[in-house]
Each structure stands twice: as C-alpha cells, then as structure tokens.
Amino acid sequence: MKVVLLLALLTASECDSTKVKGQTGQNVTLSCKYDRKYYGALDVCWERGEIPRSHCYNQLISFDGNTVKTRASSRYELLGRLEDGDVSLTILNLTEGDAGRYGCRVEIRGWFNDEKHHFDLTVVTAPQIHTSAASHTETPSEPTAAAQTGGPRVTAAGHMTSGVSRSSSSMMSSSEKSFLTVSSSSRIHVSVPTLTESCE
C-alpha cells in the first residue's frame, strides 16, 4: 500500500507543470528555487523535455552549487541569486523552436528527494510594427530685406524701382519724392575709368 502511494505521488509530481508564454526575440525566465539555507549548496540541472528518474540526460545547463559546469548554448543563463538558491533559467532571444517542455532538477541527498519542476513554454510571434514616412511640409520663404524695408530694388534688366509704399510716400515732402522717384524706363549707367600703364 505504501509503495503504491509513493508511486502515485511521484507520478503526480512529474505531471505537474507551469505554463509560460513568451514572444520571439524576447527573453523568458523559468522560475526554479530551493532552500539553500536549509540544504546548503546543491547540484542543479535543466533538461529539455521530461525529467528522467535520475540526473539529466539532455542537459541545457548544469550547476554544482557554486559555478555553472555545462551549458549547451550561450542563450541559456542562470541570472538569479544563486547564493540564495535561485536557479531560474533565462532563455535569451526566443525563437519558435524554443517552444516545448523544460524541466528543473534539484538533486537533494537521499532516495526520491530530488525536487523536479516542469514548464510548458509557448512561443508566439512578436507583432510587427509598421512605420509610415513622415510628411514633409515646406514653409514659405522669408521675405527679402528689400521687400521688408520697402527700399528701392534693381531689376534684372538694370531698372531701379521704388519700394516705398503709398502711405510712406504721402508723408514725404515733394523734394524727397522727387529724389526717390525714378522712371521705370531709366537705366543706371556706371562708367569705369580706363587705367593705362605707361612704360618708362
């Protein structure tokens, strides 16, 4: 009767599992801890799939109580406080191939004393973020200094036009108006003296 009960407890223990979901490209942590203050430093191994009756045959990472002994990939890390018995497994940069069952085995001295924890990991594809090109708007160009001040402007044909507004023109005297007024048909001629060099 005792043997049957013990086998039933062992079977129930091995069937228990925790469901965990992660996204591709992200990290996920499978929690596994033991009471280090009570047991001291213990050997721990992580297995892909169901944990066997003893030890780990398909080890992902193993720990001897002080340091990591073996590691199947650099993507498997023990990032918890190992000195406190936190031997949780962190899987970096998840892929869809990481989905499945994982097991943590803490080897406690004595018959059938090992702690075993199972995890069923589901990996979903991370949503894709679509970005649209930002629209570019053109701002009107700044008016030229001549347009702002209303000063005279010289056209491409060499004509000079007056930029004085009507309101400003009304405030000027007749002499100032006659000085500023330039006929649209007049041209500005600039004579440049010719320099000659004499040879002595």
Side-chain angles (χ1 to χ4, degrees), residues 111-157:
W111 289 84
F112 306 111
N113 289 333
D114 292 354
E115 292 184 4
K116 292 182 284 185
H117 307 277
H118 289 95
F119 304 87
D120 291 319
L121 175 61
T122 302
V123 180
V124 297
T125 303
Q128 296 181 353
I129 300 176
H130 300 281
T131 57
S132 58
S135 59
H136 298 281
T137 58
E138 295 183 356
T139 57
S141 58
E142 294 292 334
T144 61
Q148 291 178 349
T149 59
R153 300 183 296 276
V154 179
T155 64

Side-chain angles (χ1 to χ4, degrees), residues 96-111:
E96 293 181 354
D98 292 322
R101 171 159 287 199
Y102 293 81
C104 171
R105 183 187 206 103
V106 181
E107 298 183 5
I108 301 176
R109 301 169 186 85
W111 289 84

Side-chain angles (χ1 to χ4, degrees), residues 49-101:
E50 198 77 25
I51 297 178
R53 295 289 180 182
S54 63
H55 305 292
C56 293
Y57 298 136
N58 186 24
Q59 289 186 3
L60 299 177
I61 192 169
S62 63
F63 178 69
D64 65 0
N66 295 301
T67 58
V68 174
K69 295 190 300 182
T70 61
R71 190 196 315 264
S73 170
S74 59
R75 295 174 54 235
Y76 302 128
E77 295 281 355
L78 300 181
L79 301 179
R81 295 180 59 86
L82 301 176
E83 65 275 13
D84 294 335
D86 186 354
V87 289
S88 301
L89 174 66
T90 297
I91 305 175
L92 308 177
N93 192 20
L94 278 177
T95 66
E96 293 181 354
D98 292 322
R101 171 159 287 199

Side-chain angles (χ1 to χ4, degrees), residues 165-173 177:
S165 62
R166 292 183 179 179
S167 59
S168 299
S169 177
S170 62
M171 298 175 61
M172 294 180 181
S173 62
K177 291 181 180 180

Side-chain angles (χ1 to χ4, degrees), residues 10-11 24 33 81 87 165 188 195:
L10 290 173
T11 303
T24 56
K33 301 177 182 179
R81 295 180 59 86
V87 289
S165 62
I188 299 175
L195 298 179

